[in-house]
Amino acid sequence: LRVLKDGALVESGGVPLEVVSPFPTAALAELKFVQSADVMYITHPDYAPRSLTRSSHTVWTFATVSFTPTISAPTGLAGSYNGTGSYNIDYKVSAVSAAGEESLPSSAITVSADTAGDWEAGKYVSLSWTAVSGADYYKVYKNPRGYYGYIGIAETTSFKDDNISPATDNGPQSAYNPFTGAGSYPGVAGIFEQRLIFGRTDNAPQTIWASQTGIFNNFGTGRPLRDTDSIEAALASTQVNEIRWLVPFDELIVFTSGGEWIMTNGDNSDALTPTSVQYKVQGYRGCADVKPIVIGDTVIFVQRGGQVVRDL
């Protein structure tokens, strides 16, 4: 890779700046990418997704994208009940960064306390854990009957549960990486509604994956699903046509080898969510593997076969 700035090679000590690429020459024609500020996400169906980060004019770095939270989960969780306990309750804790990214939950611990119906007055479970670097605060989750729910926030590394009822519609997240090996690497990328979008693997050529809202490298989900969780949705068409390009407009325009679609929210939400997403077909021309361009409110694309240029 030779880096250009304003159309000219950036030089350091009279030598063009070169960065070693993880992609061989034979793969270059199939690379597709999307850029967000100083980070470019690059895809190829035979390689794990890569990021190319510009730290300065002369510092550019390739890296394999890690699909886990950047903030670590708490460790050392411990708890005790200041009464005579006979009922097991499980707890987990997660860390939240100043940017609002939540970690995976800590390992669970079990504390014996009273049942929810006859918790002794003045009794509580004391929890503590090891501080996490970069944590702004912590979320505490409780599982009294087989299902974790949120019970509160701690700005320090301790928390007291005096029989707080868990909000079971808000549970801890689970890690998810759909791009784990050959056949499951995405071939196209985009950005839409503050989500990093990937599409088209060899095993699932008509599927789109969207990151958590505002957290591009996190494809985790909670239980139950939250509106900001990642999305996985496949086109339901009569033929299998690979997704070739993603173009963001009021809806996300999805160009495939056999048709043109929009990915939009359903009736349950004014934005894409894991439970509110639908595809609507716009035509069956099909798109060549040539990147569409946007002019005003029109998308110009080359039709399948490469002989006709169309607008949408």
Side-chain angles (χ1 to χ4, degrees):
L1 173 72
R2 288 196 170 192
V3 179
L4 297 177
K5 179 177 182 292
D6 299 328
L9 282 171
V10 177
E11 296 191 2
S12 177
V15 179
L17 175 64
E18 297 188 3
V19 183
V20 177
S21 166
F23 303 104
T25 302
L28 298 182
E30 294 184 72
L31 296 183
K32 296 180 181 179
F33 60 87
V34 66
Q35 184 172 340
S36 175
D38 288 329
V39 180
M40 180 181 292
Y41 295 91
I42 306 171
T43 60
H44 188 288
D46 293 336
Y47 298 90
R50 300 304 209 276
S51 62
L52 175 60
T53 302
R54 170 192 175 277
S55 302
S56 72
H57 289 329
T58 56
V59 179
W60 300 66
T61 307
F62 277 106
T64 301
V65 179
S66 174
F67 295 102
T68 57
T70 57
I71 185 168
S72 301
T75 58
L77 179 61
S80 61
Y81 181 60
N82 69 340
T84 302
S86 58
Y87 180 71
N88 289 339
I89 301 175
D90 296 333
Y91 292 91
K92 292 182 178 181
V93 177
S94 65
V96 182
S97 70
E101 182 179 16
E102 183 176 358
S103 74
L104 295 175
S106 66
S107 299
I109 64 163
T110 301
V111 178
S112 292
D114 289 333
T115 62
D118 59 1
W119 198 297
E120 294 181 71
K123 303 301 181 181
Y124 52 83
V125 172
S126 295
L127 300 171
S128 63
W129 53 90
T130 303
V132 174
S133 176
D136 190 48
Y137 61 91
Y138 302 88
K139 287 186 175 181
V140 184
Y141 298 95
K142 175 181 178 178
N143 175 7
R145 293 185 178 86
Y147 205 82
Y148 280 96
Y150 167 81
I151 60 172
I153 286 174
E155 295 184 345
T156 63
T157 56
S158 63
F159 186 86
K160 288 185 178 180
D161 172 23
D162 55 357
N163 196 22
I164 302 171
S165 296
T168 54
D169 60 347
N170 184 3
Q173 68 170 319
S174 298
Y176 181 49
N177 177 9
F179 317 115
T180 55
S184 65
Y185 296 139
V188 62
I191 293 174
F192 183 66
E193 291 189 352
Q194 300 184 63
R195 296 178 186 267
L196 177 62
I197 313 289
F198 288 120
R200 183 259 180 269
T201 66
D202 288 344
N203 293 337
Q206 296 191 130
T207 298
I208 282 179
W209 296 264
S211 72
Q212 291 187 359
T213 303
I215 307 175
F216 286 176
N217 290 19
N218 194 333
F219 282 72
T221 57
R223 181 183 292 182
L225 289 171
R226 296 170 288 196
D227 287 350
T228 57
D229 282 344
S230 67
I231 299 170
E232 181 174 336
L235 283 166
S237 63
T238 57
Q239 296 180 331
V240 177
N241 296 302
E242 71 174 21
I243 295 169
R244 288 184 165 172
W245 300 101
L246 304 172
V247 178
F249 254 85
D250 186 45
E251 294 94 2
L252 181 67
I253 303 176
V254 181
F255 288 96
T256 76
S257 57
E260 303 78 55
W261 300 72
I262 57 171
M263 182 182 187
T264 184
N265 55 284
D267 296 332
N268 301 326
S269 173
D270 58 0
L272 291 178
T273 74
T275 58
S276 184
V277 58
Q278 60 182 342
Y279 292 104
K280 295 182 179 180
V281 67
Q282 306 299 296
Y284 291 102
R285 308 289 188 183
C287 183
D289 209 7
V290 178
K291 187 175 183 177
I293 61 173
V294 178
I295 302 175
D297 58 0
T298 300
V299 184
I300 308 297
F301 69 99
V302 178
Q303 186 176 315
R304 177 186 65 237
Q307 301 299 310
V308 180
V309 176
R310 295 195 176 272
D311 62 9
L312 181 67

